[in-house]
Amino acid sequence: MIVLAQLSDLHLDGGDRAAERAERVMGHLNALPLDAILVTGDIADHGEPAEYTRAREILTSRFPVLVCPGNHDVRGPYREVLLGEPPETGPVNRVHKIAGVVVAMCDSTVPGEDHGLLDKDTLGWLDTVLTAEPETPAFVCFHHPPVPLHIPYVDEIRQFGEDRLADVVARHPQVVAILCGHAHTAAATTFAGRPLLVAPGVVSTLTLPGQKGVVDYAAPPGVAFHALAEDRRLTTHYRTFERPGTDGRGDSVL
Ligand SMILES: [Fe+2]
Ligand SMILES: [Fe+2]
């Protein structure tokens, strides 16, 4: 069995609150038997170099840590500080082979915008990397959910142009699931006939329609654990991590 932990939306902003949450989550993950840790975007809150310096420290692990950017990330500093690469501005797409599975970390961001789109180059790249390993189970990962989740605030800034992605996924039956973040809510649905699993937010949790406010800052940070069995059946567990000593009450609201 292969276990991938997925966290998302750290929004590291130079302050202690977001950093403590991300450190708390990583502390728990580093003590577990995992194969890799996936971070599906909004790693920094403003895309500042100092935020990526902190992210690089916090995301250090004994496991491989695979990342993709979100709408709060900025490609130049993300590449230069977090990845240690030249600060080019094209999409940041990376493919990894972890414990016998392909993990495609795609860039769904549109610079300067909050909504998402997989551009032509990214879709072509994804098709190529999936074509190269037709027998290997694959996870397709990015920041923006490519379907409405029935939460108006996030549905307005979801990933659009999703029919093109559906066409790519349809050509590759080895795609086990599609993993995303951005919505700050643990959710499960389908896309192109595959599971579409949304990681909860580390920094905050989106409220449901009818609940007070837009964002719940008191809810504890959450993580998705994706367990892939030898028969390629996927099971996902969601967990939250309270701050020690809070007795389930979560953080204070800021
Ligand atoms: Fe976010
Ligand atoms: Fe986002």
Side-chain angles (χ1 to χ4, degrees):
M1 189 174 70
I2 296 156
V3 181
L4 305 176
Q6 183 195 3
L7 58 154
S8 199
D9 296 85
L10 283 59
H11 288 263
L12 295 167
D13 58 0
D16 291 339
R17 181 185 174 279
E20 185 280 325
R21 284 177 159 243
E23 284 169 348
R24 189 194 321 167
V25 166
M26 290 300 292
H28 283 284
L29 297 187
N30 282 325
L32 294 173
L34 302 173
D35 291 287
I37 297 171
L38 280 48
V39 190
T40 46
D42 282 356
I43 293 169
D45 198 37
H46 310 99
E48 297 285 342
E51 295 171 346
Y52 292 116
T53 301
R54 195 77 195 268
R56 198 168 173 152
E57 293 162 2
I58 292 172
L59 294 175
T60 300
S61 174
R62 66 195 181 98
F63 306 114
V65 178
L66 319 182
V67 297
C68 67
N71 52 304
H72 282 255
D73 293 300
V74 176
R75 287 173 180 169
Y78 176 98
R79 270 200 171 92
E80 189 165 32
V81 182
L82 187 63
L83 303 182
E85 299 176 1
E88 293 160 11
T89 55
V92 192
N93 299 311
R94 296 285 183 277
V95 64
H96 308 267
K97 190 91 175 269
I98 299 287
V101 302
V102 166
V103 182
M105 303 296 290
C106 311
D107 188 341
S108 64
T109 69
V110 180
E113 303 286 341
D114 282 329
H115 73 274
L117 185 82
L118 296 177
D119 73 13
K120 199 163 138 286
D121 289 351
T122 297
L123 282 167
W125 168 86
L126 178 62
D127 201 20
T128 301
V129 301
L130 294 173
T131 299
E133 299 251 11
E135 305 299 327
T136 308
F139 289 87
V140 173
C141 315
F142 39 63
H143 183 64
H144 297 79
V147 292
L149 300 176
H150 312 301
I151 300 180
Y153 176 77
V154 75
D155 289 347
E156 289 169 12
I157 54 170
R158 70 176 178 92
Q159 181 186 143
F160 296 99
E162 67 273 17
D163 290 351
R164 299 139 62 243
L165 172 64
D167 290 343
V168 173
V169 171
R171 284 198 286 276
H172 301 285
Q174 81 272 26
V175 174
V176 170
I178 297 150
L179 311 179
C180 67
H182 186 51
H184 296 219
T185 183
T189 181
T190 57
F191 178 80
R194 318 297 159 91
L196 170 65
L197 303 164
V198 186
V202 169
V203 74
S204 64
T205 299
L206 211 64
T207 53
L208 293 170
Q211 288 185 308
K212 196 178 166 199
V214 174
V215 176
D216 181 352
Y217 290 102
V223 174
F225 294 93
H226 307 292
L228 184 66
E230 276 69 28
D231 63 1
R232 300 197 178 188
R233 195 172 60 82
L234 183 67
T235 304
T236 295
H237 297 262
Y238 289 103
R239 286 291 182 279
T240 55
F241 297 105
E242 298 282 353
R243 187 153 55 180
T246 57
D247 195 23
R249 292 190 302 273
D251 295 353
S252 59
V253 179
L254 297 180

